Coordinates of all heavy atoms in Angstrom, one line a residue:
M1 N 186.3 108.9 107.8 CA 186.9 109.0 109.1 C 187.1 107.7 109.7 O 186.2 106.8 109.7 CB 186.1 109.9 110.0 CG 186.7 110.4 111.3 SD 185.5 111.4 112.3 CE 186.5 112.9 112.3
L2 N 188.2 107.4 110.4 CA 188.4 106.1 111.0 C 187.6 105.9 112.3 O 187.3 106.9 113.0 CB 189.9 105.9 111.3 CG 190.8 105.9 110.1 CD1 192.3 105.8 110.6 CD2 190.5 104.7 109.2
R3 N 187.2 104.7 112.6 CA 186.4 104.4 113.8 C 187.1 105.0 115.0 O 186.4 105.6 115.9 CB 186.2 102.9 113.9 CG 185.4 102.6 115.2 CD 185.2 101.1 115.3 NE 184.3 100.8 116.4 CZ 183.0 100.8 116.4 NH1 182.4 101.1 115.2 NH2 182.3 100.5 117.4
Q4 N 188.4 104.8 115.2 CA 189.1 105.3 116.3 C 189.0 106.8 116.4 O 189.0 107.4 117.5 CB 190.6 104.9 116.4 CG 190.7 103.4 116.6 CD 190.1 102.9 117.9 OE1 189.0 103.3 118.3 NE2 190.8 102.1 118.6
D5 N 189.1 107.5 115.3 CA 189.0 109.0 115.3 C 187.6 109.4 115.8 O 187.4 110.4 116.5 CB 189.2 109.6 113.9 CG 190.7 109.3 113.4 OD1 191.5 109.2 114.3 OD2 190.9 109.3 112.2
V6 N 186.5 108.7 115.3 CA 185.2 109.0 115.7 C 185.0 108.8 117.2 O 184.5 109.6 117.9 CB 184.1 108.2 114.9 CG1 182.7 108.4 115.5 CG2 184.2 108.5 113.4
L7 N 185.5 107.7 117.7 CA 185.4 107.3 119.1 C 186.2 108.4 120.0 O 185.7 108.8 121.0 CB 185.9 105.9 119.4 CG 185.0 104.8 118.8 CD1 185.7 103.4 119.1 CD2 183.6 104.8 119.4
R8 N 187.3 108.8 119.5 CA 188.1 109.8 120.2 C 187.4 111.1 120.3 O 187.4 111.8 121.3 CB 189.5 110.0 119.5 CG 190.5 110.6 120.3 CD 191.9 110.6 119.7 NE 192.3 109.2 119.3 CZ 192.6 108.9 118.0 NH1 192.5 109.8 117.0 NH2 193.0 107.7 117.7
D9 N 186.7 111.5 119.2 CA 185.9 112.7 119.1 C 184.8 112.6 120.1 O 184.5 113.6 120.8 CB 185.5 113.0 117.7 CG 184.9 114.4 117.6 OD1 185.2 115.3 118.4 OD2 184.1 114.6 116.6
I10 N 184.1 111.5 120.1 CA 183.0 111.3 121.1 C 183.5 111.4 122.5 O 182.8 112.1 123.3 CB 182.3 109.9 120.8 CG1 181.6 109.9 119.4 CG2 181.3 109.6 121.9 CD1 181.2 108.5 119.0
E11 N 184.6 110.8 122.8 CA 185.1 110.8 124.1 C 185.6 112.2 124.6 O 185.3 112.6 125.7 CB 186.3 109.8 124.3 CG 186.7 109.7 125.7 CD 187.7 108.5 125.9 OE1 188.1 107.9 124.9 OE2 188.1 108.3 127.1
S12 N 186.1 112.9 123.6 CA 186.5 114.3 124.0 C 185.3 115.2 124.2 O 185.4 116.2 125.0 CB 187.4 114.9 122.9 OG 186.7 115.1 121.7
T13 N 184.2 114.9 123.6 CA 183.0 115.7 123.8 C 182.2 115.3 125.0 O 181.8 116.2 125.8 CB 182.0 115.5 122.6 OG1 182.7 115.9 121.4 CG2 180.8 116.3 122.7
F14 N 182.0 114.0 125.3 CA 181.2 113.5 126.4 C 182.1 113.1 127.6 O 181.5 113.0 128.7 CB 180.4 112.3 126.0 CG 179.3 112.6 125.0 CD1 179.0 111.7 124.0 CD2 178.5 113.7 125.2 CE1 178.0 112.0 123.1 CE2 177.4 114.0 124.3 CZ 177.2 113.1 123.2
G15 N 183.3 112.8 127.4 CA 184.1 112.3 128.5 C 184.2 110.8 128.5 O 185.1 110.2 129.1
I16 N 183.2 110.2 127.9 CA 183.1 108.7 127.7 C 182.5 108.4 126.4 O 182.0 109.3 125.7 CB 182.2 108.0 128.8 CG1 180.8 108.6 128.7 CG2 182.8 108.3 130.2 CD1 179.8 107.7 129.5
V17 N 182.6 107.1 126.0 CA 181.9 106.7 124.8 C 180.7 105.9 125.3 O 180.9 104.8 125.9 CB 182.8 105.8 123.9 CG1 182.0 105.3 122.7 CG2 184.0 106.6 123.4
P18 N 179.4 106.4 125.1 CA 178.3 105.6 125.5 C 178.3 104.2 124.9 O 178.7 104.0 123.7 CB 177.1 106.4 125.0 CG 177.6 107.8 124.8 CD 179.1 107.6 124.4
G19 N 177.8 103.2 125.7 CA 177.8 101.9 125.2 C 177.1 101.6 123.9 O 177.5 100.8 123.1
F20 N 175.9 102.3 123.7 CA 175.2 102.1 122.5 C 175.9 102.6 121.3 O 175.8 102.0 120.2 CB 173.8 102.7 122.6 CG 173.8 104.2 122.4 CD1 173.6 104.8 121.2 CD2 174.0 105.0 123.5 CE1 173.6 106.2 121.0 CE2 173.9 106.4 123.4 CZ 173.7 107.0 122.1
M21 N 176.8 103.6 121.5 CA 177.6 104.1 120.3 C 178.8 103.2 120.1 O 179.2 103.0 118.9 CB 178.0 105.5 120.6 CG 176.8 106.5 120.6 SD 177.3 108.2 120.7 CE 177.4 108.6 119.0
D22 N 179.4 102.6 121.1 CA 180.5 101.8 121.0 C 180.2 100.5 120.2 O 181.1 100.0 119.5 CB 181.1 101.4 122.4 CG 182.5 100.9 122.3 OD1 183.2 101.2 121.4 OD2 182.8 100.1 123.2
G23 N 179.0 100.0 120.3 CA 178.6 98.8 119.6 C 178.1 99.0 118.2 O 177.8 98.0 117.5
M24 N 178.0 100.2 117.7 CA 177.5 100.5 116.4 C 178.5 100.1 115.3 O 179.7 100.2 115.5 CB 177.2 102.0 116.2 CG 176.0 102.5 116.9 SD 175.8 104.2 116.5 CE 174.3 104.5 117.5
P25 N 178.1 99.6 114.1 CA 179.0 99.4 113.0 C 179.6 100.7 112.6 O 179.1 101.8 112.8 CB 178.0 98.9 111.9 CG 176.8 98.4 112.6 CD 176.7 99.2 113.8
D26 N 180.8 100.6 111.9 CA 181.6 101.8 111.6 C 180.8 102.8 110.8 O 180.8 104.0 111.2 CB 182.8 101.4 110.8 CG 183.8 100.5 111.6 OD1 183.6 100.4 112.8 OD2 184.7 100.0 111.0
M27 N 180.1 102.4 109.8 CA 179.4 103.4 108.9 C 178.3 104.1 109.7 O 178.0 105.3 109.6 CB 178.9 102.7 107.7 CG 178.4 103.7 106.6 SD 178.0 103.0 105.0 CE 176.4 102.5 105.3
V28 N 177.5 103.3 110.5 CA 176.4 103.8 111.2 C 177.0 104.8 112.3 O 176.4 105.9 112.6 CB 175.6 102.7 111.9 CG1 174.5 103.2 112.8 CG2 175.0 101.8 110.8
L29 N 178.0 104.4 113.0 CA 178.6 105.2 114.0 C 179.0 106.6 113.5 O 178.7 107.6 114.1 CB 179.8 104.5 114.6 CG 180.6 105.3 115.6 CD1 179.8 105.6 116.9 CD2 181.9 104.6 116.0
E30 N 179.7 106.6 112.3 CA 180.2 107.9 111.8 C 179.0 108.8 111.4 O 179.0 110.0 111.7 CB 181.0 107.6 110.5 CG 181.6 108.8 109.9 CD 182.5 108.5 108.7 OE1 182.8 107.4 108.5 OE2 182.9 109.5 108.1
H31 N 178.0 108.2 110.8 CA 176.8 109.1 110.4 C 176.0 109.5 111.6 O 175.5 110.6 111.7 CB 176.0 108.3 109.4 CG 176.6 108.2 108.1 ND1 176.9 109.2 107.2 CD2 177.1 107.1 107.5 CE1 177.5 108.8 106.2 NE2 177.7 107.5 106.3
T32 N 175.8 108.6 112.6 CA 175.1 109.0 113.8 C 175.8 110.1 114.6 O 175.2 111.1 115.0 CB 174.9 107.8 114.7 OG1 174.2 106.7 114.0 CG2 174.1 108.1 116.0
W33 N 177.1 110.0 114.7 CA 177.9 111.0 115.4 C 177.8 112.3 114.7 O 177.6 113.4 115.3 CB 179.3 110.6 115.6 CG 180.1 111.6 116.3 CD1 181.2 112.2 115.9 CD2 179.8 112.1 117.6 NE1 181.7 113.0 116.9 CE2 180.9 113.1 117.9 CE3 178.8 112.0 118.6 CZ2 180.9 113.8 119.1 CZ3 178.9 112.7 119.7 CH2 179.9 113.6 120.0
A34 N 177.9 112.3 113.4 CA 177.8 113.5 112.6 C 176.4 114.2 112.8 O 176.4 115.4 112.9 CB 178.1 113.3 111.1
F35 N 175.4 113.4 112.8 CA 174.0 113.9 113.0 C 173.9 114.5 114.4 O 173.4 115.6 114.5 CB 173.0 112.8 112.8 CG 171.6 113.2 113.2 CD1 170.9 114.0 112.3 CD2 171.1 112.9 114.4 CE1 169.6 114.5 112.6 CE2 169.8 113.3 114.7 CZ 169.1 114.1 113.9
L36 N 174.4 113.8 115.4 CA 174.3 114.3 116.7 C 175.0 115.7 116.9 O 174.5 116.6 117.5 CB 174.8 113.3 117.7 CG 174.0 112.1 118.0 CD1 174.7 111.1 118.9 CD2 172.7 112.5 118.7
K37 N 176.2 115.7 116.3 CA 177.0 117.0 116.5 C 176.4 118.1 115.7 O 176.3 119.2 116.2 CB 178.4 116.7 115.9 CG 179.3 116.1 117.0 CD 180.7 115.8 116.4 CE 181.4 117.1 116.2 NZ 182.8 116.9 115.8
D38 N 175.9 117.8 114.5 CA 175.5 118.9 113.6 C 174.1 119.4 113.9 O 173.7 120.6 113.7 CB 175.5 118.5 112.1 CG 176.9 118.3 111.6 OD1 177.9 118.8 112.3 OD2 177.1 117.6 110.6
F39 N 173.2 118.6 114.4 CA 171.8 118.9 114.6 C 171.3 119.0 116.0 O 170.4 119.8 116.3 CB 170.9 118.0 113.8 CG 171.1 118.1 112.3 CD1 171.8 117.2 111.6 CD2 170.7 119.3 111.6 CE1 172.0 117.3 110.2 CE2 170.9 119.4 110.2 CZ 171.6 118.4 109.6
L40 N 171.8 118.1 116.9 CA 171.3 118.0 118.2 C 172.2 118.7 119.3 O 171.7 119.1 120.3 CB 171.1 116.6 118.6 CG 170.1 115.8 117.7 CD1 170.0 114.4 118.2 CD2 168.7 116.4 117.7
M41 N 173.4 118.9 119.0 CA 174.3 119.5 120.0 C 174.8 120.9 119.7 O 175.8 121.3 120.1 CB 175.5 118.6 120.1 CG 175.2 117.2 120.6 SD 176.5 116.1 120.8 CE 177.6 117.0 121.8
V42 N 174.0 121.6 119.0 CA 174.3 123.0 118.7 C 173.4 123.9 119.6 O 172.3 123.6 119.9 CB 174.1 123.4 117.2 CG1 175.1 122.6 116.4 CG2 172.7 123.1 116.7
D43 N 174.0 125.1 119.9 CA 173.2 126.0 120.7 C 172.3 126.8 119.8 O 172.6 127.3 118.7 CB 174.1 127.0 121.4 CG 174.9 126.4 122.6 OD1 174.4 125.3 123.0 OD2 175.9 126.9 123.0
T44 N 171.0 126.9 120.2 CA 170.0 127.7 119.6 C 169.6 128.8 120.6 O 170.4 129.3 121.3 CB 168.8 126.8 119.1 OG1 168.3 126.2 120.3 CG2 169.2 125.8 118.1
A45 N 168.3 129.1 120.6 CA 167.9 130.1 121.6 C 168.1 129.5 123.0 O 168.4 130.2 124.0 CB 166.4 130.4 121.4
L46 N 168.1 128.1 123.1 CA 168.4 127.4 124.3 C 169.8 126.8 124.1 O 170.1 126.3 123.0 CB 167.4 126.4 124.7 CG 166.0 126.8 125.0 CD1 165.1 125.6 125.1 CD2 166.0 127.6 126.3
S47 N 170.6 126.7 125.1 CA 171.8 125.9 125.0 C 171.5 124.4 124.8 O 170.5 124.0 125.2 CB 172.7 126.2 126.2 OG 172.2 125.6 127.3
A48 N 172.5 123.7 124.3 CA 172.4 122.3 124.2 C 172.1 121.6 125.5 O 171.4 120.7 125.7 CB 173.6 121.7 123.5
K49 N 172.8 122.2 126.6 CA 172.6 121.6 127.9 C 171.2 121.8 128.4 O 170.5 120.9 128.9 CB 173.5 122.3 128.9 CG 173.4 121.9 130.3 CD 174.3 122.6 131.2 CE 174.1 122.3 132.7 NZ 175.0 123.0 133.6
N50 N 170.6 123.0 128.2 CA 169.2 123.2 128.6 C 168.2 122.4 127.8 O 167.2 121.9 128.4 CB 168.8 124.7 128.5 CG 169.5 125.5 129.6 OD1 169.8 125.0 130.7 ND2 169.7 126.8 129.3
E51 N 168.5 122.2 126.5 CA 167.6 121.3 125.7 C 167.6 119.9 126.3 O 166.6 119.2 126.3 CB 168.1 121.3 124.3 CG 167.8 122.6 123.5 CD 168.3 122.6 122.1 OE1 168.8 121.6 121.6 OE2 168.3 123.7 121.5
A52 N 168.8 119.4 126.6 CA 169.0 118.0 127.2 C 168.2 117.9 128.5 O 167.5 116.9 128.7 CB 170.4 117.7 127.3
L53 N 168.4 118.9 129.3 CA 167.7 118.9 130.6 C 166.1 118.9 130.5 O 165.4 118.2 131.2 CB 168.1 120.1 131.5 CG 169.5 120.0 132.0 CD1 169.9 121.3 132.7 CD2 169.7 118.8 133.0
I54 N 165.7 119.7 129.5 CA 164.2 119.7 129.2 C 163.8 118.3 128.7 O 162.7 117.8 129.1 CB 163.9 120.8 128.2 CG1 164.0 122.2 128.9 CG2 162.4 120.6 127.7 CD1 164.0 123.3 127.9
G55 N 164.6 117.7 127.9 CA 164.3 116.3 127.4 C 164.2 115.3 128.5 O 163.3 114.5 128.5
I56 N 165.2 115.4 129.4 CA 165.2 114.5 130.6 C 163.9 114.7 131.4 O 163.3 113.8 131.9 CB 166.4 114.7 131.4 CG1 167.6 114.2 130.7 CG2 166.3 114.0 132.8 CD1 169.0 114.5 131.3
G57 N 163.6 116.0 131.7 CA 162.4 116.3 132.4 C 161.1 115.8 131.8 O 160.2 115.2 132.4
A58 N 161.0 116.0 130.5 CA 159.8 115.5 129.7 C 159.8 114.0 129.8 O 158.7 113.4 130.0 CB 159.9 116.0 128.3
A59 N 160.9 113.3 129.6 CA 160.9 111.8 129.6 C 160.5 111.3 130.9 O 159.8 110.3 131.0 CB 162.3 111.3 129.2
S60 N 160.9 112.0 132.0 CA 160.6 111.5 133.3 C 159.1 111.7 133.6 O 158.4 111.0 134.3 CB 161.4 112.1 134.4 OG 161.2 113.5 134.5
T61 N 158.6 112.8 133.1 CA 157.2 113.1 133.3 C 156.3 112.1 132.7 O 155.3 111.7 133.2 CB 156.8 114.5 132.7 OG1 157.6 115.5 133.4 CG2 155.4 114.9 132.9
F62 N 156.7 111.6 131.5 CA 155.9 110.6 130.8 C 156.3 109.2 131.1 O 155.8 108.2 130.5 CB 155.9 110.8 129.3 CG 155.3 112.2 128.9 CD1 156.1 113.2 128.4 CD2 154.0 112.4 129.0 CE1 155.6 114.4 128.0 CE2 153.4 113.6 128.7 CZ 154.2 114.6 128.2
R63 N 157.2 109.1 132.0 CA 157.7 107.8 132.5 C 158.3 107.0 131.3 O 158.0 105.8 131.1 CB 156.7 107.0 133.2 CG 156.3 107.7 134.5 CD 155.3 107.0 135.3 NE 154.9 107.8 136.4 CZ 154.0 107.5 137.2 NH1 153.2 106.5 137.0 NH2 153.7 108.3 138.2
C64 N 159.0 107.6 130.5 CA 159.6 107.0 129.3 C 160.7 106.1 129.7 O 161.6 106.4 130.5 CB 160.2 108.1 128.4 SG 161.1 107.5 126.9
D65 N 160.7 104.9 129.1 CA 161.7 103.9 129.4 C 163.1 104.2 128.9 O 164.1 103.6 129.3 CB 161.3 102.5 128.9 CG 160.1 102.0 129.6 OD1 159.9 102.4 130.8 OD2 159.4 101.1 129.0
Y66 N 163.2 105.1 127.9 CA 164.5 105.5 127.3 C 165.0 106.7 127.9 O 166.1 107.1 127.7 CB 164.3 105.6 125.8 CG 163.7 104.4 125.2 CD1 162.4 104.3 124.8 CD2 164.5 103.3 125.0 CE1 161.9 103.2 124.3 CE2 164.0 102.1 124.5 CZ 162.7 102.1 124.1 OH 162.2 100.9 123.5

């Protein structure tokens, strides 16, 4: 997949291309995006949105810098 195709797919999903993803090398970007889509952004018993909100809550509880 071409870099522009990957970036277009990311933008259509998120509305923007996060800065950390825009700076990734081509091969890393393609594999990272495939991983995010296939494993982290799928609905399970909880929706992907609820999983993300729980992650944000947990990170803020532990005062995570990331």
Side-chain angles (χ1 to χ4, degrees):
M1 191 181 243
L2 296 174
R3 179 180 185 83
Q4 292 299 45
D5 295 334
V6 174
L7 293 175
R8 200 172 306 119
D9 190 24
I10 294 169
E11 187 170 7
S12 70
T13 302
F14 292 136
I16 62 165
V17 176
F20 75 93
M21 294 185 92
D22 194 29
M24 287 183 181
D26 294 349
M27 191 170 86
V28 175
L29 174 66
E30 184 176 350
H31 291 291
T32 301
W33 179 237
F35 173 77
L36 286 173
K37 278 180 66 173
D38 293 342
F39 295 105
L40 300 179
M41 296 179 54
V42 295
D43 288 341
T44 57
L46 296 172
S47 69
K49 179 181 176 181
N50 285 335
E51 289 176 6
L53 289 172
I54 291 169
I56 291 170
S60 66
T61 300
F62 296 114
R63 299 180 184 170
C64 177
D65 292 335
Y66 301 103

